Amino acid sequence: MSPRFSIWLIVVGLCAPQTQAQKIYWVETVYEGSPPVARRLIRRADADGSDIEDVVDTGSSTAYAIALDPPRGQVYWTIPGTGIYRANFDGSGVQLVLSTYSPWGIAVDIV
């Protein structure tokens, strides 16, 4: 059986750090194996939809919302029942920022 994909939360934001072109970030559910096992990935692509790449494997099938912090080059996401996480735009430095039971949405105030 080939992998199945479904997009859970689509375009959350465009980010344009000085060193790279604008990117679109989203959370996508990927089903692999038999029986299928769901994983949620944070992915990105160029603003025109090309050059899709995986940024972070959230390690969860329930990762939900994401928000971007372009000045710091970080992406944040929520995992209900666990908390709020962040990583660098390249996927490095994954860390739990806040342990909380039911985070659903998230926003970053960059002002």
Side-chain angles (χ1 to χ4, degrees), residues 7 9-17 20-28 42-55 66 68 75 89:
I7 295 175
L9 181 70
I10 203 150
V11 181
V12 171
L14 290 174
C15 135
Q20 61 181 233
Q22 284 191 324
K23 299 284 186 179
I24 304 166
Y25 285 76
W26 69 96
V27 175
E28 186 167 337
I42 296 175
R43 304 183 99 186
R44 71 178 172 199
D46 291 341
D48 65 1
S50 65
D51 195 25
I52 296 172
E53 45 186 332
D54 297 342
V55 177
I66 65 174
L68 303 177
V75 58
F89 281 159

Side-chain angles (χ1 to χ4, degrees), residues 15-111:
C15 135
Q18 295 171 349
T19 60
Q20 61 181 233
Q22 284 191 324
K23 299 284 186 179
I24 304 166
Y25 285 76
W26 69 96
V27 175
E28 186 167 337
T29 303
V30 177
Y31 295 92
E32 296 177 323
S34 180
V37 175
R39 310 185 290 136
R40 294 253 171 97
L41 303 175
I42 296 175
R43 304 183 99 186
R44 71 178 172 199
D46 291 341
D48 65 1
S50 65
D51 195 25
I52 296 172
E53 45 186 332
D54 297 342
V55 177
V56 176
D57 182 339
T58 66
S60 169
S61 63
T62 59
Y64 188 69
I66 65 174
L68 303 177
D69 183 354
R72 291 181 181 82
Q74 295 183 314
V75 58
Y76 290 78
W77 66 95
T78 64
I79 299 178
T82 304
I84 299 170
Y85 292 79
R86 76 173 161 215
N88 297 318
F89 281 159
D90 66 3
S92 66
V94 174
Q95 64 183 148
L96 175 65
V97 175
L98 177 66
S99 180
T100 183
Y101 183 73
S102 58
W104 289 97
I106 188 167
V108 176
D109 183 355
I110 59 173
V111 175

